[in-house]
Amino acid sequence: MGDTIKIIRQIQDDILSPQAGLENILLKAKVLAYYLGNDDFKKWVKNELDGYENNELPDYRIIGATIIGTFSNGRCIYNNRAIPINEIEPGLRESTKNLCIFEGIVGLEAMSNQEKLCSPMGGEWIQLYNIFNAESLRQGRYQLIDANQPIIGAVISQIIGTIRSRLQDFILEISSN
């Protein structure tokens, strides 16, 4: 019991210290989760450390997204053009509305220090976009040749803040018991 109380206090102190890295705090939380035998807490800490699988992503790691593309008509190339949502076929639109952030905490902290981040759209998505817009292409309009979903660093910082806050909520809850 003494070790549990000691690690709870260490985690509380670390969460309140801006200098303490979240990876270190989560590693301590992992030890606490095993001391407590709390399987849900163990799983959450493991996912935050190692990254999430597709079907386990919490809502705070799903962000609204836009798509930026590079278009060409064979003569000219237009970079960094926003693709209006109404130009995206409904079946593709659903897959691009949100951007899922699966990375573990080390990756998130590295991302938060980057000025420009983006998640590239796969070649299959680009090909499907062009197929669904084939009529426009036949009329001599522009073909999509590259696309990505930009990520704002502040959004990554918000996810990190949410992880700290949720961990603090859990620590306060078990401290009061």
Side-chain angles (χ1 to χ4, degrees), residues 87-122:
E87 286 186 15
I88 301 173
E89 193 273 332
L92 285 178
R93 191 178 306 156
E94 200 56 39
S95 69
T96 59
K97 230 173 24 177
N98 294 314
L99 182 60
C100 298
I101 309 295
F102 295 101
E103 287 75 13
I105 193 59
V106 172
L108 285 178
E109 288 181 330
M111 290 169 72
S112 72
N113 294 323
Q114 298 294 315
E115 207 168 294
K116 288 187 174 185
L117 296 167
C118 67
S119 177
M121 302 303 291

Short mmCIF file of all heavy atoms in Angstrom, two decimals, residues 87-122:
data_model
loop_
_atom_site.label_atom_id
_atom_site.label_comp_id
_atom_site.label_asym_id
_atom_site.label_seq_id
_atom_site.Cartn_x
_atom_site.Cartn_y
_atom_site.Cartn_z
N GLU A 87 -17.01 18.43 -53.65
CA GLU A 87 -16.35 17.83 -54.81
C GLU A 87 -15.91 16.39 -54.54
O GLU A 87 -15.37 15.74 -55.41
CB GLU A 87 -15.13 18.66 -55.23
CG GLU A 87 -15.49 19.95 -55.92
CD GLU A 87 -14.25 20.66 -56.46
OE1 GLU A 87 -13.18 20.03 -56.54
OE2 GLU A 87 -14.38 21.85 -56.79
N ILE A 88 -16.11 15.96 -53.32
CA ILE A 88 -15.70 14.61 -52.95
C ILE A 88 -16.94 13.72 -52.94
O ILE A 88 -17.94 14.04 -52.30
CB ILE A 88 -15.02 14.60 -51.57
CG1 ILE A 88 -13.78 15.52 -51.59
CG2 ILE A 88 -14.61 13.19 -51.18
CD1 ILE A 88 -13.14 15.72 -50.24
N GLU A 89 -16.87 12.63 -53.67
CA GLU A 89 -17.98 11.68 -53.76
C GLU A 89 -18.35 11.22 -52.34
O GLU A 89 -17.47 11.01 -51.50
CB GLU A 89 -17.52 10.49 -54.63
CG GLU A 89 -18.62 9.57 -55.08
CD GLU A 89 -18.92 8.48 -54.06
OE1 GLU A 89 -18.03 8.09 -53.30
OE2 GLU A 89 -20.07 8.04 -54.03
N PRO A 90 -19.65 11.09 -52.03
CA PRO A 90 -20.08 10.75 -50.67
C PRO A 90 -19.37 9.53 -50.05
O PRO A 90 -19.05 9.55 -48.87
CB PRO A 90 -21.58 10.51 -50.82
CG PRO A 90 -21.97 11.37 -51.97
CD PRO A 90 -20.80 11.33 -52.92
N GLY A 91 -19.10 8.51 -50.83
CA GLY A 91 -18.40 7.34 -50.29
C GLY A 91 -16.98 7.65 -49.83
O GLY A 91 -16.50 7.10 -48.85
N LEU A 92 -16.32 8.55 -50.53
CA LEU A 92 -14.96 8.97 -50.14
C LEU A 92 -15.00 10.03 -49.05
O LEU A 92 -14.10 10.11 -48.22
CB LEU A 92 -14.22 9.55 -51.35
CG LEU A 92 -13.71 8.60 -52.40
CD1 LEU A 92 -13.04 9.37 -53.54
CD2 LEU A 92 -12.73 7.60 -51.81
N ARG A 93 -16.03 10.84 -49.08
CA ARG A 93 -16.17 11.95 -48.13
C ARG A 93 -16.13 11.45 -46.69
O ARG A 93 -15.48 12.04 -45.84
CB ARG A 93 -17.49 12.68 -48.41
CG ARG A 93 -17.64 13.97 -47.69
CD ARG A 93 -18.95 14.66 -48.05
NE ARG A 93 -19.08 14.81 -49.50
CZ ARG A 93 -20.25 14.93 -50.12
NH1 ARG A 93 -21.38 14.91 -49.43
NH2 ARG A 93 -20.30 15.07 -51.42
N GLU A 94 -16.82 10.35 -46.45
CA GLU A 94 -16.89 9.81 -45.09
C GLU A 94 -15.50 9.46 -44.55
O GLU A 94 -15.21 9.67 -43.38
CB GLU A 94 -17.80 8.57 -45.08
CG GLU A 94 -18.34 8.21 -43.74
CD GLU A 94 -19.10 9.33 -43.05
OE1 GLU A 94 -19.84 10.09 -43.70
OE2 GLU A 94 -18.94 9.46 -41.82
N SER A 95 -14.63 8.97 -45.43
CA SER A 95 -13.30 8.55 -44.99
C SER A 95 -12.34 9.73 -44.79
O SER A 95 -11.24 9.55 -44.30
CB SER A 95 -12.69 7.57 -45.99
OG SER A 95 -12.38 8.22 -47.20
N THR A 96 -12.76 10.92 -45.17
CA THR A 96 -11.85 12.07 -45.09
C THR A 96 -12.33 13.16 -44.14
O THR A 96 -11.62 14.14 -43.93
CB THR A 96 -11.66 12.69 -46.49
OG1 THR A 96 -12.93 13.10 -46.98
CG2 THR A 96 -11.01 11.73 -47.43
N LYS A 97 -13.50 13.00 -43.60
CA LYS A 97 -14.08 13.99 -42.70
C LYS A 97 -13.24 14.18 -41.44
O LYS A 97 -13.12 15.26 -40.92
CB LYS A 97 -15.45 13.48 -42.30
CG LYS A 97 -16.52 14.34 -42.40
CD LYS A 97 -17.90 13.85 -42.17
CE LYS A 97 -18.19 12.66 -41.35
NZ LYS A 97 -19.61 12.44 -41.21
N ASN A 98 -12.71 13.08 -40.95
CA ASN A 98 -11.94 13.10 -39.71
C ASN A 98 -10.56 12.51 -39.94
O ASN A 98 -10.36 11.68 -40.81
CB ASN A 98 -12.65 12.27 -38.64
CG ASN A 98 -13.96 12.87 -38.23
OD1 ASN A 98 -14.06 14.07 -37.98
ND2 ASN A 98 -15.00 12.06 -38.17
N LEU A 99 -9.65 12.96 -39.12
CA LEU A 99 -8.28 12.44 -39.13
C LEU A 99 -8.05 11.78 -37.78
O LEU A 99 -8.30 12.38 -36.74
CB LEU A 99 -7.29 13.59 -39.36
CG LEU A 99 -5.83 13.23 -39.44
CD1 LEU A 99 -5.58 12.27 -40.59
CD2 LEU A 99 -5.00 14.49 -39.62
N CYS A 100 -7.60 10.56 -37.82
CA CYS A 100 -7.37 9.78 -36.60
C CYS A 100 -5.89 9.82 -36.24
O CYS A 100 -5.04 9.56 -37.09
CB CYS A 100 -7.83 8.33 -36.81
SG CYS A 100 -9.60 8.21 -37.15
N ILE A 101 -5.61 10.11 -34.99
CA ILE A 101 -4.24 10.21 -34.50
C ILE A 101 -3.95 8.98 -33.64
O ILE A 101 -4.38 8.88 -32.50
CB ILE A 101 -4.03 11.51 -33.67
CG1 ILE A 101 -4.53 12.74 -34.44
CG2 ILE A 101 -2.59 11.65 -33.23
CD1 ILE A 101 -3.78 13.07 -35.70
N PHE A 102 -3.20 8.03 -34.20
CA PHE A 102 -2.94 6.75 -33.55
C PHE A 102 -1.63 6.71 -32.76
O PHE A 102 -1.42 5.82 -31.94
CB PHE A 102 -2.89 5.63 -34.61
CG PHE A 102 -4.19 5.40 -35.30
CD1 PHE A 102 -4.41 5.91 -36.58
CD2 PHE A 102 -5.21 4.68 -34.70
CE1 PHE A 102 -5.62 5.70 -37.22
CE2 PHE A 102 -6.41 4.47 -35.34
CZ PHE A 102 -6.62 4.98 -36.60
N GLU A 103 -0.72 7.64 -33.00
CA GLU A 103 0.63 7.59 -32.44
C GLU A 103 0.65 7.56 -30.91
O GLU A 103 -0.20 8.15 -30.26
CB GLU A 103 1.45 8.79 -32.91
CG GLU A 103 1.88 8.73 -34.35
CD GLU A 103 0.77 9.02 -35.35
OE1 GLU A 103 -0.30 9.51 -34.95
OE2 GLU A 103 0.96 8.74 -36.53
N GLY A 104 1.68 6.91 -30.38
CA GLY A 104 1.93 6.91 -28.94
C GLY A 104 2.46 8.26 -28.51
O GLY A 104 2.74 9.15 -29.33
N ILE A 105 2.66 8.42 -27.21
CA ILE A 105 3.00 9.73 -26.65
C ILE A 105 4.33 10.27 -27.16
O ILE A 105 4.46 11.47 -27.39
CB ILE A 105 2.95 9.71 -25.10
CG1 ILE A 105 2.98 11.13 -24.55
CG2 ILE A 105 4.06 8.85 -24.52
CD1 ILE A 105 1.84 12.00 -25.01
N VAL A 106 5.31 9.42 -27.39
CA VAL A 106 6.59 9.91 -27.90
C VAL A 106 6.39 10.54 -29.29
O VAL A 106 6.90 11.62 -29.57
CB VAL A 106 7.65 8.77 -27.95
CG1 VAL A 106 8.90 9.21 -28.67
CG2 VAL A 106 7.98 8.29 -26.55
N GLY A 107 5.62 9.87 -30.13
CA GLY A 107 5.31 10.41 -31.45
C GLY A 107 4.52 11.70 -31.37
O GLY A 107 4.78 12.65 -32.11
N LEU A 108 3.55 11.74 -30.46
CA LEU A 108 2.74 12.96 -30.30
C LEU A 108 3.59 14.14 -29.86
O LEU A 108 3.45 15.26 -30.38
CB LEU A 108 1.62 12.74 -29.28
CG LEU A 108 0.43 11.92 -29.70
CD1 LEU A 108 -0.54 11.77 -28.54
CD2 LEU A 108 -0.27 12.55 -30.88
N GLU A 109 4.47 13.89 -28.89
CA GLU A 109 5.31 14.99 -28.41
C GLU A 109 6.25 15.48 -29.51
O GLU A 109 6.48 16.68 -29.65
CB GLU A 109 6.07 14.58 -27.15
CG GLU A 109 5.15 14.47 -25.96
CD GLU A 109 5.81 14.09 -24.65
OE1 GLU A 109 6.83 13.38 -24.66
OE2 GLU A 109 5.29 14.52 -23.61
N ALA A 110 6.76 14.57 -30.33
CA ALA A 110 7.60 14.98 -31.46
C ALA A 110 6.77 15.77 -32.48
O ALA A 110 7.24 16.78 -33.02
CB ALA A 110 8.23 13.76 -32.12
N MET A 111 5.55 15.32 -32.72
CA MET A 111 4.67 16.03 -33.67
C MET A 111 4.35 17.43 -33.18
O MET A 111 4.24 18.36 -33.98
CB MET A 111 3.38 15.24 -33.87
CG MET A 111 3.55 13.95 -34.65
SD MET A 111 2.06 12.91 -34.60
CE MET A 111 0.95 13.82 -35.65
N SER A 112 4.16 17.59 -31.88
CA SER A 112 3.78 18.91 -31.34
C SER A 112 4.89 19.94 -31.55
O SER A 112 4.63 21.13 -31.51
CB SER A 112 3.41 18.81 -29.87
OG SER A 112 4.56 18.58 -29.07
N ASN A 113 6.12 19.48 -31.78
CA ASN A 113 7.25 20.39 -32.00
C ASN A 113 7.46 20.72 -33.47
O ASN A 113 8.33 21.51 -33.80
CB ASN A 113 8.53 19.78 -31.42
CG ASN A 113 8.46 19.67 -29.91
OD1 ASN A 113 7.91 20.52 -29.23
ND2 ASN A 113 9.01 18.59 -29.38
N GLN A 114 6.69 20.08 -34.35
CA GLN A 114 6.83 20.31 -35.79
C GLN A 114 5.98 21.51 -36.20
O GLN A 114 4.88 21.69 -35.71
CB GLN A 114 6.36 19.08 -36.58
CG GLN A 114 7.16 17.84 -36.30
CD GLN A 114 8.59 17.95 -36.78
OE1 GLN A 114 8.84 18.41 -37.88
NE2 GLN A 114 9.52 17.55 -35.94
N GLU A 115 6.52 22.28 -37.14
CA GLU A 115 5.78 23.43 -37.63
C GLU A 115 4.67 23.02 -38.59
O GLU A 115 3.55 23.48 -38.50
CB GLU A 115 6.74 24.39 -38.31
CG GLU A 115 6.27 25.82 -38.28
CD GLU A 115 7.37 26.75 -38.71
OE1 GLU A 115 8.37 26.85 -37.99
OE2 GLU A 115 7.19 27.37 -39.77
N LYS A 116 5.02 22.16 -39.55
CA LYS A 116 4.04 21.72 -40.54
C LYS A 116 3.93 20.21 -40.49
O LYS A 116 4.92 19.50 -40.63
CB LYS A 116 4.45 22.15 -41.94
CG LYS A 116 4.30 23.61 -42.21
CD LYS A 116 4.57 23.91 -43.66
CE LYS A 116 4.27 25.38 -43.95
NZ LYS A 116 4.40 25.65 -45.38
N LEU A 117 2.72 19.75 -40.31
CA LEU A 117 2.44 18.32 -40.29
C LEU A 117 1.35 18.02 -41.30
O LEU A 117 0.48 18.85 -41.53
CB LEU A 117 1.93 17.90 -38.90
CG LEU A 117 2.87 18.05 -37.73
CD1 LEU A 117 2.09 17.90 -36.43
CD2 LEU A 117 3.96 17.01 -37.80
N CYS A 118 1.39 16.83 -41.85
CA CYS A 118 0.29 16.42 -42.71
C CYS A 118 0.24 14.89 -42.78
O CYS A 118 1.22 14.21 -42.56
CB CYS A 118 0.41 17.01 -44.10
SG CYS A 118 1.80 16.42 -45.05
N SER A 119 -0.94 14.42 -43.06
CA SER A 119 -1.17 13.00 -43.26
C SER A 119 -1.47 12.80 -44.74
O SER A 119 -2.49 13.28 -45.24
CB SER A 119 -2.35 12.54 -42.41
OG SER A 119 -2.62 11.18 -42.64
N PRO A 120 -0.57 12.13 -45.47
CA PRO A 120 -0.80 11.98 -46.91
C PRO A 120 -1.99 11.09 -47.22
O PRO A 120 -2.25 10.11 -46.53
CB PRO A 120 0.50 11.35 -47.42
CG PRO A 120 1.24 10.89 -46.23
CD PRO A 120 0.65 11.51 -45.02
N MET A 121 -2.72 11.46 -48.25
CA MET A 121 -3.80 10.62 -48.75
C MET A 121 -3.16 9.55 -49.62
O MET A 121 -2.25 9.85 -50.40
CB MET A 121 -4.80 11.43 -49.58
CG MET A 121 -5.43 12.60 -48.84
SD MET A 121 -6.30 12.13 -47.34
CE MET A 121 -7.67 11.24 -48.03
N GLY A 122 -3.61 8.34 -49.50
CA GLY A 122 -3.03 7.25 -50.27
C GLY A 122 -3.30 7.36 -51.76
O GLY A 122 -4.24 8.03 -52.19
#
